[in-house]
Amino acid sequence: MNPDGQILDGITVVDLTTFVTGGFASLMLANQGAEVIKVERPGVGDDNRHSGPPFIDGESPYFWTINYDKRSVELNLKSEEGLAALYDIVAEADVFVQNYRPGTATKLHVDEDSIREVNDDVVYCAISAFGQTGPWSQRPGYDLLVQGMSGIMSVTGEPDGRPVKVGLPQTDLITAMWAAFGIVTALYRREVTGEGEYIDLAMLDATLPWLTKQAGKVFAGEQPRRMGTKDPVLAPYQTFETADGHLNVACLNQKLWRGLCDAIGRPDLADDERFETNADRVEHMDELEAELAPAFGERTTDEWMDVLVEDAGIPAGPVNEPEDALYNEQTEARGVMTELSDGERTVPVIEHPLNYGRSESGFDHLPPKLGEHTREVLREVGYDEETLDELAATGAFGEVE
């Protein structure tokens, strides 16, 4: 590691994944300085390249958000030459990530045993929907399915409505964060022991620890239910309709509760025995909402922000549209939204949130075009131009024109 640079400087990650689970994991590593080599199917690439519309100049902006600072290599892993080239790249790497359905990596000769033959101390991460073992291991799985099977959808939505998917690929991102965490801890272990590591990571397994409050209900013999924006163990902790929009209000202790009652002109509620403690308020949540809702409808969201947050110090916030969430005075002050440009393309960037006091972090390069770095990467592992031309002629980089 370069003490004056990024923490993962010098770490090379070979990423064979598609879509979000592995892609966001390697993105997190790239943000901390790792070199990520994205190995893609010739002519097609990562399926996420085709996610849309919208497309901007033929590119998916969704793909951008998951692939800054990576290099793209096209390899036909079903050809002997393409597979051999992959092995040469892996021989110089520290981390190998794939998200094939269990069994597929073995068929492609990129399973742990095959990879470890060329790099014994590599950290190998295998991501799948349900893991490498168990009766569901061969099932295909995506975020929507895992949101349903994990219990998330059963507790998301209005009480009298149907189950609702979280509006972003939550279980993909949960899994990605576990993957990045597991890879970094395995790299630390390798520093201590000199040994590589194998990580079997399932999307369903990754999501279940996030149930927390809902799991607590189950452990107590209760059935969690859909509650709209209400919380199963805190009140008031929900969304209220204002004169022109919506406002989230979070009261986590008695001081905040009494402050809220005063701020909305209902000091009587603080002495109402139905709402005396948080437990009381949770037990009488619907009655509490009926008392509070009319008051919030009397002013606009901005007016309530002044009254509650600026004047009374009550935790409250608007329900923003994504554009407002990305571009505002706070994100501007924190440098959250930046841009990358190569003179031809300019791409918006959502910077990652780890701001170190003694180390650098951040993205430096645009998301790669498909196969943009194939020859460059192979030159770095010892291939000359004649050999590269021969490989291209065999179809190792895709169909020969």
Side-chain angles (χ1 to χ4, degrees), residues 105-309:
T106 300
K107 293 177 183 177
L108 292 173
H109 305 289
V110 294
D111 55 294
E112 185 199 7
D113 289 342
S114 298
I115 294 301
R116 216 166 282 290
E117 284 183 10
V118 298
N119 188 335
D120 185 55
D121 65 357
V122 74
V123 172
Y124 185 109
C125 182
I127 302 171
S128 60
F130 303 105
Q132 304 297 311
T133 59
W136 299 349
S137 64
Q138 294 303 308
R139 292 184 182 182
Y142 294 95
D143 172 72
L144 173 64
L145 308 185
V146 178
Q147 284 205 32
M149 298 176 75
S150 66
I152 288 176
M153 287 178 63
S154 75
V155 297
T156 304
E158 294 299 326
D160 56 353
R162 64 180 183 175
V164 174
K165 179 178 76 70
V166 177
L168 47 82
Q170 186 176 42
T171 69
D172 283 337
L173 296 168
I174 289 171
T175 306
M177 297 184 79
W178 279 116
F181 174 71
I183 288 166
V184 169
T185 54
L187 287 171
Y188 174 76
R189 180 184 183 277
R190 192 181 70 169
E191 284 294 304
V192 174
T193 67
E195 297 177 334
E197 186 57 273
Y198 174 79
I199 302 168
D200 168 11
L201 177 60
M203 291 176 67
L204 183 59
D205 296 354
T207 304
L208 294 177
W210 284 47
L211 291 179
T212 58
K213 294 177 182 179
Q214 288 74 22
K217 287 272 191 179
V218 172
F219 299 157
E222 300 180 21
Q223 179 65 46
R225 57 188 177 88
R226 289 187 292 283
M227 303 177 67
T229 65
K230 296 188 184 75
D231 187 87
V233 298
L234 296 168
Y237 193 92
Q238 66 183 90
T239 306
F240 292 97
E241 192 169 347
T242 66
D244 67 344
H246 295 87
L247 184 76
N248 286 322
V249 177
C251 286
L252 279 73
N253 58 46
Q254 291 301 102
K255 180 181 178 181
L256 292 173
W257 164 240
R258 289 188 171 276
L260 175 67
C261 294
D262 289 339
I264 66 172
R266 290 295 308 275
D268 58 298
L269 294 178
D271 297 319
D272 191 316
E273 63 181 13
R274 295 173 299 170
F275 312 133
E276 186 174 353
T277 67
N278 180 72
D280 294 326
R281 295 191 290 275
V282 170
E283 289 291 336
H284 299 91
M285 200 174 289
D286 291 341
E287 297 166 66
L288 177 64
E289 182 179 43
E291 294 284 358
L292 295 176
F296 285 106
E298 294 174 357
R299 302 191 189 197
T300 67
T301 299
D302 284 344
E303 288 172 335
W304 279 121
M305 288 295 292
D306 287 337
V307 170
L308 296 180
V309 179

Side-chain angles (χ1 to χ4, degrees), residues 357-377:
R358 295 178 175 83
S359 302
E360 296 179 8
S361 63
F363 299 114
D364 297 313
H365 303 289
L366 292 167
K369 298 277 192 176
L370 178 59
E372 180 180 348
H373 305 96
T374 301
R375 288 177 174 255
E376 176 182 294
V377 168

Side-chain angles (χ1 to χ4, degrees), residues 71-84:
R71 298 201 286 172
S72 173
V73 172
E74 285 182 282
L75 286 178
N76 178 6
L77 300 185
K78 294 182 180 180
S79 74
E80 290 184 11
E81 296 82 4
L83 185 60

